[in-house]
Amino acid sequence: MPRDVPRPAIAEAVQSASPDPAPGGGAHARSPVLVIRHGAFGDLLQADGALRDLREHHRDRPIVLLASSPYTRLMARCPYVDEVIADPRAPMLQLGRNLALLRTLRERGFERVYDLQGSDRTALYRRLMPEPSQWLRKHNPADSGTPDRLAYAWMLAQAGIRVRHADAPDPAWMADDADALLAAAGIPPDYIVLIPGSAARHTHKRWPGHAELARRLGEIGRAVVVVPGPDELELARSLPCHVLATPDGFLDWFALAGVLRRAAFVVGNDTGPTHLAAALGTPGLALFGSHTSVERTGIRMRAFDAIQVPDLSSLSVETVLADVLRRLPR
């Protein structure tokens, strides 16, 4: 894929695309299609629209998704796939585990493979699997300014697939009804969600101003909510806000999506729940340091924006608060 492909180029490429013609025999009458997208979570969100376009194109074929093991339960709910195969992504020297996965893939006889991962691992899978009639591979260098969702759109368009959703993921299927949860916690409908954490190994992504921002928002009468992950509970409890969790653990992805979808606004670090809020169409603001490019992540969509600074510790609460107040729905 050319670097930094503009959206008009994609629009031009998809004008003549059409769905995979369905033969007699009804839905899913033909051989299955394999889609590879391992994750992390934000990567799967970026692929949501592409999966929807593939579902519309291959109306008569089962779509099988090969995803990382931690996300198989999540993606089993996705309405655009019929089956999810877990890839443990075992180290290459663990031959038994890798050969078992390859045996499973070889036995399915996939005629078409859409490699949305585009990694060295999936290149090896291609060499070791029977050659399908079509193997499409995402090309998007890590140093490009192109978000993966745009790279997927380009890849599908070049294959003659009508692209309607790839550049606009919308994982509303992930969101449970959060009304009862919010009512039980006494949270009003115009609440703001803060996402102060990140994976434990990515502490450099954590803006240190969330506690002060929560206090300032509370002073002007806004209810503030935090929904911590497994390694964020202590951090969440240090903030002056509502902490949403279950008595026996943490909210799952589906409850989290329901809470984010109902929020008036979301402020978060560069982490999975923030990307989920953006994809759901919730107004919000992501906070980035220098660890990556905002444009590359694709988090700017619909009502979601981002602030990027060289050092998150230097980003003032006043700057973030002013942006939040300017963009809060009235």
Side-chain angles (χ1 to χ4, degrees), residues 21 36 84 119 173 185 202 206 211 213 226 280 286 298:
I36 306 175
V84 182
S119 65
W173 53 266
H202 293 151
R206 296 186 177 185
L213 179 62
V226 63
L280 288 168

Side-chain angles (χ1 to χ4, degrees), residues 112-181:
R112 296 192 184 191
V113 177
Y114 296 92
D115 181 2
L116 304 185
Q117 187 73 23
S119 65
D120 292 342
R121 176 181 289 273
T122 59
L124 178 62
Y125 291 175
R126 180 176 185 176
R127 290 196 295 271
L128 297 179
M129 286 173 61
E131 187 68 22
S133 59
Q134 185 179 41
W135 184 301
L136 297 171
R137 177 180 172 88
K138 179 203 73 174
H139 296 282
N140 192 24
D143 61 347
S144 82
T146 301
D148 272 346
R149 68 175 194 273
L150 195 59
Y152 302 148
W154 178 261
M155 182 186 85
L156 298 184
Q158 294 303 297
I161 295 173
R162 178 176 292 134
V163 178
R164 299 177 57 219
H165 310 288
D167 191 29
D170 181 15
W173 53 266
M174 195 184 300
D176 280 347
D177 187 340
D179 286 352
L181 176 67

Side-chain angles (χ1 to χ4, degrees), residues 193-197 205-207 210 213 265-279 282-289 291-295 297-301 303-309 312 315-316 319-321 323-324 326-327:
V193 175
L194 300 188
I195 302 173
K205 294 183 177 183
R206 296 186 177 185
W207 178 56
H210 283 282
L213 179 62
F265 202 84
V266 173
V267 181
N269 302 328
D270 176 22
T271 188
T274 310
H275 288 263
L276 175 57
T282 305
L285 184 67
L287 309 176
F288 281 76
H291 59 276
T292 190
S293 157
V294 170
E295 287 71 25
T297 68
I299 201 168
R300 283 192 175 112
M301 64 178 92
F304 221 89
D305 204 352
I307 295 176
Q308 183 158 30
V309 293
L312 276 174
L315 178 59
S316 71
T319 297
V320 175
L321 180 62
D323 201 317
V324 172
R326 177 176 59 83
R327 300 181 57 242

Side-chain angles (χ1 to χ4, degrees), residues 56-73:
E56 291 183 358
H57 183 75
H58 294 297
R59 295 172 301 184
D60 65 313
R61 297 176 186 263
I63 294 181
V64 179
L65 175 66
L66 181 65
S68 304
S69 299
Y71 302 105
T72 53
R73 175 175 172 264

